Amino acid sequence: MEFRYSNKVKQMKPSIIRELLKQMSDPQLISFAGGNPAADSFPADAIRKFSDELLATDPVGMLQYSVTEGYGPLRKAARDYANRQWPVVSDADDLIITSGSQQIIEFMTKLLCNEGDVIAVEEPAFLGAYNSMCSFGARLAGVPLEADGVNLEALEQVFRDQKPKFFYCIPNFQNPTGYTTSLEKRKAICELAVRYGVPVLEDDPYGALRISGEAIPPIKHFDTTGAVVYAGSFSKVLCPGMRLAFCAGQPDLIGKMVVAKQGSDVHTNVWAQRVCERILTQTDMDAHLARLQDIYRDKANYMMAEMDAKLAGRMTYIKPEGGMFIWATLPEAVDTDAFVKKCLEHKLAVVPGSAFYTTDAPCRSVRLNFSTPSKEQIAQGVEIMDKVLRELGA
Ligand SMILES: Cc1ncc(COP(=O)(O)O)c(C=O)c1O
């Protein structure tokens, strides 16, 4: 059968990461390509304990259909979690539990964009977001990302000239760059959003994974007008397999998301929601987050020390203050695709930076993930990059 795919699907870019992951069955392969949380970061004991308890005491509540906006006590717990450092979700906001933050990106696009409408996006940024947006026929206006956040002049120009339906950004330890948007730029983004009437989707899956520097309030903290929609996720702080995230914003928008969700997956997995609520309210989340930060600090510092020792002057990077990625730039003389290919030949997977752009412009950077590999694999992987750079004359 020859399927006649829609124009929307034809616009989607196959994920190079998924393509690389196909080779992962090779046990020899070291991967700096994924974005998975560290295997020892999951609160597996707490998940098992609460799951057992709840199934024993309330099997029907755990297994029956439930409300689309999410389990009430989890909605409250998620609100408290989001507000643990600063007010982020205000009394004026509503909140929906979603199946991952990927679903929030999808719903924002579905609710706001007709085919051909423009979405302003940080460039580079999370490929999964670009793909979701393109699948609705949206056009992406990439705004260059700098080490302290998006270029504000370019953002204002896009807001003014292209009237995007919303602006998508990842202010904390961005995927793929690891960059963090400065306090000044966060305030400026909020101000521009209000001035030009362009909502902001603030995607914050990594915010709790800070390993150095001063914590900065989310953009949503500065918003008094409902312009900012905040997406939080439990994927990186508990586990991605639960598929739990939350979206906070103006009640009319969240109400529309509830309707969109009814037509999509009815509600988020109740079993996972119930367990998550117990973890948030009955375990020491601060201690859990501190443990995750220790795991990631240790791995990130180790990867950076290895890179500094073996690749200095040949691969440059800006130290990430959290998250899971280092964005490393190759010397001008080295072709990125050749580098990625040769690394794979030597059994190391890295993602070429071009995968995170809206256009096919050449890119000299690669994304390196430090959360998944062991320290031994990190050392071996850096050695392979050293060898490959030598082979390519650098
Ligand atoms: C920036 C960003 N947003 C959203 C997601 C999706 O996360 P989830 O759907 O698991 O919450 C990811 C996943 O890696 C991500 O990096």
Side-chain angles (χ1 to χ4, degrees), residues 100-102 105 126 168 170 175 203 205-206 233 235-236 240 243 245:
S101 49
Q102 183 72 46
I105 299 165
F126 173 48
Y168 171 72
I170 311 161
N175 180 4
D203 187 13
Y206 302 105
S233 172
S235 284
K236 318 293 180 187
R243 307 304 305 128

Side-chain angles (χ1 to χ4, degrees), residues 203-317:
D203 187 13
D204 190 20
Y206 302 105
L209 303 181
R210 178 171 278 281
I211 57 174
S212 64
E214 286 287 305
I216 311 174
I219 303 173
K220 178 91 172 70
H221 169 75
F222 303 103
D223 174 35
T224 52
T225 66
V228 183
V229 181
Y230 182 81
S233 172
F234 294 111
S235 284
K236 318 293 180 187
V237 291
L238 294 178
C239 58
M242 280 180 133
R243 307 304 305 128
L244 289 178
F246 58 94
C247 182
Q250 211 170 275
D252 58 321
L253 177 86
I254 301 298
K256 292 267 192 307
M257 275 197 192
V258 172
V259 179
K261 193 165 168 64
Q262 280 159 1
S264 178
D265 60 355
V266 184
H267 61 73
T268 300
N269 182 315
V270 187
W271 186 336
Q273 290 191 66
R274 298 285 302 265
V275 171
C276 180
E277 189 268 337
R278 287 283 168 103
I279 293 177
L280 293 181
T281 58
Q282 296 188 19
T283 69
D284 186 346
M285 273 303 283
D286 288 341
H288 172 69
L289 296 179
R291 194 176 81 82
L292 297 192
Q293 289 156 4
D294 286 346
I295 294 173
Y296 292 132
R297 185 180 303 110
D298 191 38
K299 288 192 173 203
N301 286 346
Y302 188 71
M303 187 180 264
M304 288 189 280
E306 287 293 298
M307 289 174 70
D308 293 347
K310 301 196 176 111
L311 309 174
R314 292 183 295 157
M315 249 185 158
T316 54
Y317 65 90

Side-chain angles (χ1 to χ4, degrees), residues 23-82:
Q23 314 217 14
M24 297 301 254
S25 51
D26 179 349
Q28 304 294 318
L29 190 86
I30 295 170
S31 178
F32 290 174
N36 288 353
D40 56 349
S41 71
F42 302 143
D45 290 341
I47 292 171
R48 188 184 321 112
K49 173 175 166 275
F50 292 126
S51 184
D52 286 352
E53 272 176 27
L54 286 161
L55 281 169
T57 54
D58 186 14
V60 176
M62 288 282 274
L63 303 174
Q64 189 54 279
Y65 278 121
S66 186
V67 290
T68 304
E69 52 267 46
Y71 175 56
L74 177 60
R75 291 171 68 217
K76 162 145 191 355
R79 193 179 268 269
D80 294 344
Y81 172 77

Side-chain angles (χ1 to χ4, degrees), residues 320-339:
E321 293 192 343
M324 299 185 167
F325 306 108
I326 295 172
W327 184 245
T329 302
L330 300 166
E332 240 165 84
V334 172
D335 176 72
T336 315
D337 287 347
F339 176 83

